Amino acid sequence: MSMLNTYIYQRDLSGNRVDLPVCYEVQSHSCQALGGNKAARITITSGNRFAIWDHIELLRCPVELYNDRGECVWWGIIYEVEIVENAISIGVSLESMSNDVAVLYSLIEAGTHSAGQRRITAHASNADSVAEYGYKELQLAGGGMTAVAADQLRDTHLAAVKYPIPVRGVQAGGRSSAKATLHCVGLWQLLAWRFYTNIATTSVITTSQIEAMITAYNQFFTGVDIETASGVAQSQQRDGDQTVLEEVRALLETGTTNDRRLLAEVTQSRRLRVYEEPASGVSDYWQLRDGSLRTQYDTELPQSACVAGVWARLKDVVPASVDIVKLANPAFAFIEEMEYFPVSGERRVRFRNQRDPFAFSSSDERERNKAIALGLINRSFSYMTLAAGESLTIPVGQQLIISSEYTIDGSLTVDGELIIL
Amino acid sequence: MSISNLQLTDGTTTVQLDSSGSVAFLGSYQGRSESTSYVPRATSLPENGDWSSIDLDDPRNALAESFVLTFKGGTTVAQGNLTTVKQLLAQAGRRRTNKAVPAVYAQFRARDTDAYSRSELLGGTVQESERTFGPLWANGVIEARISWIRRPYLEDAEVQLPLTNGNGTNNISGLTVWNHDDGDAGHDNYVEIAASAITGDLPAPIRYEFVPGAAYRYVHQLLIAHNVYGSPSTFTHMLEYTGSVDATASAANYRRTSIGTGYTEFGTTLFSEAQLAAMGGNYYRVIARFNALPPSGITAYFQFTGHGQTPVLYRSAPVEVSSTFPMQILGTAQFPPSTFPSFAARMMFLELYAKRPAGAANLDLDYVFLVPLDSYRLITVGKTSPVHEVADDMISDYRYSVKDVPEAVPDVTAIGASIMLVPNRLQRLYFLKPSTGANVNAIADTATVKVYYRPRRLSL
């Protein structure tokens, strides 16, 4: 077992610490090949009651996790805070917030009933929320309506969701002093906060497009480092229906002329680093028969750290007698994600083409996903409806739990798992 | 055997819980066969025998103890003392969520002539005996069972440690350290503590006072490292690089390299078998000092190579080199790697590489500091006004800096675990201010250091 130390900093990215008299315990942290640090879950095990409740105010504050050697093993932001005291739970999440809203609608001209041209309203934003958290954009699906109604829908929705909205729960019989859980995400996730539009039609190298996207819509990164040019050109025109994250991910997946993906990570100094997926070879890590991993130099992994975006080669498992002429060599597997649990010291690995073990999570995780899912549907789309023209994708490895009250008229793509209660 | 003297105290209020205080004695009234004596328990050894593998200050590792106490001296006196015990135990519980509340200690000594050892209480309860409200009360006696949880170790009185380096031997008046370490006499950035100076049977945290020299009162960050298992007296922790002369550089020399668009070697050091043996496979952080601020856009890494500088035994992940800070952490590694077994004729090279994709530029490497990580702590002082002292008390978990007025300001934060001195081993503490002003690291800065600790033991 190795313990990690949690350090929280002020939201303004000044680097000044937020030092509250509480004890943190890191439950898990994870990283992924596409994006670097993925998530971390931190519980507050004890401390001053007022200081515990102060964490409600720390959304989007940077977080760093250090091991006892003073190495930073994970960095990101606080995305969600849950506090439970006796029978009451309060949850607040950046997921529920949007401070820059536009409405997608089909125009109904005055005096007519027919929905015609697809339109989008001008964006409206709340300056205070933007100054505090940065832009978090939402494109709301409005169905068929007049331009005036669309503008009003935009303004009404913005007023409701410009700040994170607390969600209250009641656990009958609950009797505990204040406890809190911080759910953190990697900085990569912040690319999903803005939609990308480009009206230029010329073809540009995809890695140059990535650099341009980040530069144009940058809020939190200090720079972009393209270590490998893709060599692949495509049209740079984008109609603004996708977030920067979705656009960048698509270009990374397109890959390079070496037939390999591009990978990305956000460094501790908030630089986005884009590089070519390594080929299997001298940089491969080793996996032993007990499941443990060692570096390419056959040394231990850094204490409490996760690693992804590398190949892992079985060291002493597959007998030489196995005939692998007509299948991919089972001794080699690419690490897509890794999650580390400091309390137990366990590392959980997801290899490429492997079903996501994180989807089959604990009942606590399932309840959390359910709460978030309900909130997401309620706040990102109109009134528990996936309307015509709206789309939602459940990605591989993710779970969405909805009730039968939901109306799905739009496009629901299930790459992961959909559970209808 | 039972304790001769046992008292509860928060530094202001003290209750004697034995006959020496004439208000209570350990054990039941008139010799009833309850638990009649108290001896501090010792916590169990960890399975692997390594105390560093568990956190003794984690409340979940606290010890629970219970014993019977009899209060005498009349019901009023007995009740008053019992109330004081209850209040102190409640205070101990409150301190767990509010460090501003004074800590409460149980203090023990086996004989009247011994010094007290203490153990911090984390909470407790008092339960009066059923006999109390009958015959005992009539005799002015209250019998109660005390149950408490406390830290699983005892601490002796605080001791100042004699420190040694090129500027003094067994110094307790404040030993001078420099902000670099080269061959010049007295230019040492460490203090050495003799093996005999650390007693007890558990690693113990320290309290230190770092007082900058009058002309060097800028302290924004302070790095403290601890070497106990890496042969501190023979381990070379500073690697100097030469080629160009500058009196403001460590050893008055640095190495200038034109860094190209591809990775360029900018520093190489050969480790002998003696140095490799001294490092012993422990972990070290590699920190480079640059004689001038590095140009922007540089990425660097280090690697180990074997005989003839091939093959590569280890390579660190590339890091961006700051262009606004004169010192850069390049990474952490095991020196030598675990796959490099001990052998009389082995050698290992430390090689530094950097590249600048935007175009060639000069990089001036002054020295590399191999920072031992037996303990490691990076202090940040919140304000940049002149600092007269940095105090970091890892025993009581307080930190502050003393400013001009003078006033103590709690604006010091720390990254890293407590520095834990190991009994009966020679060890060194290293001090370094990475920044001595805006974008500057001056090697000529000095400071004086005092170090204190409380010997820790499992039991008396």
Side-chain angles (χ1 to χ4, degrees):
Chain A
M1 172 179 112
S2 69
M3 305 311 293
L4 293 175
N5 302 300
T6 301
Y7 300 103
I8 301 175
Y9 302 85
Q10 291 178 358
R11 188 181 297 124
D12 61 5
L13 304 180
S14 61
N16 295 324
R17 284 262 301 269
V18 175
D19 213 2
L20 294 171
V22 298
C23 292
Y24 300 101
E25 185 172 275
V26 179
Q27 300 301 320
S28 69
H29 68 84
S30 61
C31 69
Q32 56 192 350
L34 268 182
N37 291 335
K38 183 181 180 185
R41 191 163 73 92
I42 304 162
T43 53
I44 298 177
T45 54
S46 65
N48 180 278
R49 175 176 176 262
F50 301 108
I52 292 175
W53 279 96
D54 277 347
H55 286 77
I56 285 275
E57 303 170 18
L58 299 185
L59 292 180
R60 226 272 281 139
C61 284
V63 174
E64 291 179 340
L65 305 182
Y66 283 81
N67 62 22
D68 277 348
R69 290 199 196 115
E71 296 170 287
C72 187
V73 297
W74 193 94
W75 51 92
I77 59 153
I78 297 176
Y79 200 75
E80 185 183 311
V81 178
E82 290 176 77
I83 297 182
V84 176
E85 187 169 5
N86 292 316
I88 302 296
S89 67
I90 301 283
V92 61
S93 172
L94 287 170
E95 191 65 37
S96 62
M97 177 192 83
S98 296
N99 55 27
D100 185 291
V101 179
V103 171
L104 292 163
Y105 65 104
S106 298
L107 177 64
I108 295 178
E109 298 282 5
T112 69
H113 301 285
S114 302
Q117 191 182 38
R118 179 179 182 271
R119 284 204 178 173
I120 183 169
T121 66
H123 282 251
S125 61
N126 180 277
D128 282 343
S129 179
V130 168
E132 195 64 43
Y133 297 104
Y135 282 98
K136 189 169 186 284
E137 297 175 354
L138 171 68
Q139 290 184 359
L140 192 62
M145 58 181 59
T146 64
V148 172
D151 284 348
Q152 187 56 60
L153 175 62
R154 175 200 64 198
D155 295 342
T156 302
H157 198 79
L158 176 63
V161 300
K162 62 189 176 192
Y163 293 122
I165 301 171
V167 174
R168 185 190 306 180
V170 179
Q171 297 173 323
R175 270 180 213 158
S176 69
S177 56
K179 296 274 188 293
T181 302
L182 311 180
H183 298 278
C184 308
V185 298
L187 297 169
W188 172 256
Q189 285 302 116
L190 299 181
L191 291 176
W193 282 21
R194 305 202 72 177
F195 288 83
Y196 181 69
T197 302
N198 189 345
I199 61 174
T201 57
T202 52
S203 286
V204 174
I205 298 293
T206 56
T207 40
S208 300
Q209 289 191 44
I210 291 173
E211 189 167 9
M213 289 176 188
I214 304 299
T215 303
Y217 287 85
N218 179 38
Q219 299 189 88
F220 308 111
F221 297 152
T222 57
V224 184
D225 296 316
I226 307 293
E227 294 188 2
T228 312
S230 65
V232 178
Q234 72 172 59
S235 169
Q236 57 179 316
Q237 186 178 26
R238 300 290 189 283
D239 59 10
D241 279 353
Q242 304 267 66
T243 65
V244 173
L245 178 62
E246 288 161 329
E247 297 288 0
V248 169
R249 184 182 284 151
L251 294 177
L252 295 174
E253 295 278 6
T254 299
T256 72
T257 50
N258 292 326
D259 303 335
R260 298 207 291 269
R261 282 185 309 173
L262 289 161
L263 304 180
E265 67 162 349
V266 182
T267 69
Q268 189 182 357
S269 53
R270 287 185 283 117
R271 293 187 71 87
L272 179 67
R273 176 179 164 247
V274 176
Y275 57 101
E276 188 177 46
E277 177 182 302
S280 175
V282 295
S283 301
D284 293 356
Y285 280 53
W286 297 97
Q287 187 167 32
L288 279 59
R289 65 176 66 192
D290 64 358
S292 63
L293 283 165
R294 294 176 71 82
T295 70
Q296 63 269 53
Y297 309 104
D298 204 14
T299 56
E300 292 177 349
L301 291 189
Q303 185 190 72
S304 312
C306 282
V307 62
V310 296
W311 289 88
R313 187 187 304 196
L314 292 174
K315 192 177 186 187
D316 53 0
V317 178
V318 180
S321 57
V322 173
D323 182 358
I324 55 170
V325 170
K326 296 217 174 114
L327 54 82
N329 191 334
F332 296 82
F334 188 80
I335 299 178
E336 287 288 345
E337 282 187 37
M338 183 182 291
E339 189 171 14
Y340 177 72
F341 300 86
V343 175
S344 63
E346 180 194 354
R347 282 189 174 93
R348 232 180 266 173
V349 179
R350 182 171 74 84
F351 296 104
R352 180 180 292 162
N353 300 322
Q354 177 187 358
R355 186 161 189 193
D356 186 357
F358 308 130
F360 300 97
S361 50
S362 67
S363 60
D364 284 346
E365 280 291 308
R366 203 164 283 193
E367 285 302 308
R368 186 181 80 82
N369 288 339
K370 176 179 174 180
I372 289 177
L374 292 174
L376 175 67
I377 294 293
N378 280 342
R379 283 156 181 76
S380 295
F381 300 92
S382 309
Y383 307 107
M384 297 190 290
T385 296
L386 192 62
E390 293 177 353
S391 66
L392 174 67
T393 298
I394 307 171
V396 172
Q398 297 295 318
Q399 220 176 43
L400 182 64
I401 305 171
I402 62 174
S403 78
S404 57
E405 296 170 298
Y406 286 73
T407 304
I408 301 178
D409 292 325
S411 167
L412 178 64
T413 303
V414 182
D415 292 325
E417 197 169 325
L418 174 66
I419 298 175
I420 302 175
L421 302 178
Chain B
M1 175 184 135
S2 63
I3 295 295
S4 172
N5 293 140
L6 171 66
Q7 60 183 214
L8 293 193
T9 182
D10 66 353
T12 303
T13 303
T14 300
V15 177
Q16 206 72 27
L17 302 180
D18 55 73
S19 57
S20 70
S22 301
V23 295
F25 58 85
L26 289 161
S28 62
Y29 187 61
Q30 293 182 338
R32 245 188 78 166
S33 57
E34 292 283 354
S35 170
T36 58
S37 66
Y38 169 73
V39 177
R41 286 179 51 211
T43 192
S44 305
L45 282 168
E47 283 183 4
N48 60 4
D50 178 12
W51 285 110
S52 64
S53 65
I54 64 172
D55 182 2
L56 290 176
D57 288 310
D58 187 331
R60 290 170 293 188
N61 291 322
L63 270 183
E65 295 175 322
S66 181
F67 57 95
V68 172
L69 208 58
T70 300
F71 292 87
K72 56 181 183 171
T75 49
T76 302
V77 171
Q79 200 172 26
N81 287 306
L82 184 62
T83 299
T84 303
V85 171
K86 291 178 182 177
Q87 288 172 341
L88 286 173
L89 292 177
Q91 179 177 319
R94 285 202 310 280
R95 169 156 170 102
R96 290 174 66 178
T97 57
N98 184 358
K99 264 190 353 188
V101 174
V104 178
Y105 296 94
Q107 302 199 141
F108 324 84
R109 61 184 181 186
R111 299 173 301 181
D112 292 352
T113 52
D114 293 335
Y116 276 108
S117 297
R118 72 179 194 180
S119 181
E120 184 184 353
L121 299 184
L122 302 178
T125 59
V126 176
Q127 180 59 59
E128 288 84 346
S129 153
E130 356 175 284
R131 300 194 302 151
T132 288
F133 300 107
L136 298 187
W137 192 271
N139 286 284
V141 169
I142 299 177
E143 185 182 274
R145 174 168 289 279
I146 312 294
S147 302
W148 64 36
I149 54 172
R150 64 173 178 86
R151 301 283 186 203
Y153 52 81
L154 307 183
E155 294 178 312
D156 293 342
E158 186 177 88
V159 171
Q160 184 179 356
L161 290 166
L163 307 176
T164 298
N165 66 14
N167 298 302
T169 302
N170 294 329
N171 177 298
I172 58 171
S173 60
L175 185 61
T176 298
V177 293
W178 284 68
N179 208 38
H180 73 289
D181 196 313
D182 59 22
D184 292 349
H187 288 199
D188 298 329
N189 77 323
Y190 69 87
V191 297
E192 184 172 286
I193 303 168
S196 58
I198 310 297
T199 59
D201 51 28
L202 290 174
I206 64 171
R207 172 174 77 84
Y208 69 84
E209 297 167 359
F210 181 90
V211 179
Y216 314 118
R217 295 207 187 279
Y218 181 93
V219 182
H220 178 52
Q221 284 186 316
L222 176 64
L223 181 159
I224 308 102
H226 175 220
N227 185 2
V228 59
Y229 298 114
S231 302
S233 57
T234 58
F235 163 64
T236 301
H237 63 284
M238 287 291 196
L239 311 177
E240 299 283 352
Y241 293 85
T242 60
S244 301
V245 175
D246 183 348
T248 64
S250 180
N253 248 277
Y254 65 96
R255 175 181 163 177
R256 169 165 288 182
T257 306
S258 176
I259 303 298
T261 55
Y263 276 111
T264 310
E265 179 266 333
F266 70 96
T268 297
T269 299
L270 170 62
F271 293 132
S272 65
E273 168 58 30
Q275 173 76 340
L276 294 173
M279 294 191 289
N282 295 303
Y283 281 83
Y284 297 85
R285 175 153 294 123
V286 178
I287 297 181
R289 180 190 186 266
F290 299 103
N291 196 49
L293 288 179
S296 62
I298 289 185
T299 306
Y301 69 87
F302 68 89
Q303 67 181 22
F304 302 142
T305 53
H307 186 78
Q309 295 187 249
T310 57
V312 174
L313 303 175
Y314 173 83
R315 179 177 294 165
S316 71
V319 298
E320 309 114 45
V321 175
S322 170
S323 60
T324 58
F325 211 67
M327 303 195 76
Q328 179 67 48
I329 296 174
L330 296 180
T332 300
Q334 195 179 15
F335 280 66
S338 58
T339 52
F340 198 32
S342 175
F343 183 71
R346 70 178 170 169
M347 62 173 66
M348 190 178 83
F349 292 85
L350 170 67
E351 300 170 352
L352 311 176
Y353 285 85
K355 71 174 180 181
R356 188 170 187 268
N362 287 331
L363 189 62
D364 296 343
L365 177 64
D366 185 6
Y367 65 75
V368 165
F369 180 13
L370 300 180
V371 183
L373 296 179
D374 290 331
S375 305
Y376 174 89
R377 203 158 166 89
L378 183 65
I379 301 299
T380 301
V381 180
K383 297 181 181 176
T384 57
S385 59
V387 174
H388 287 249
E389 180 183 321
V390 175
D392 186 4
D393 184 345
M394 290 165 253
I395 303 172
S396 304
D397 198 19
Y398 289 116
R399 289 162 294 282
Y400 59 89
S401 65
V402 178
K403 306 292 193 212
D404 251 346
V405 176
E407 57 179 357
V409 181
D411 63 346
V412 178
T413 56
I415 285 178
S418 296
I419 305 291
M420 303 292 282
L421 299 182
V422 177
N424 301 314
R425 292 191 75 109
L426 182 142
Q427 46 215 290
R428 288 188 177 183
L429 300 176
Y430 304 83
F431 296 83
L432 193 79
K433 292 193 299 182
S435 170
T436 58
N439 304 338
V440 173
N441 166 262
I443 64 166
D445 279 25
T446 60
T448 59
V449 174
K450 294 180 182 177
V451 179
Y452 307 79
Y453 91 117
R454 285 179 176 268
R456 275 190 182 182
R457 60 190 77 256
L458 288 168
S459 180
L460 290 180

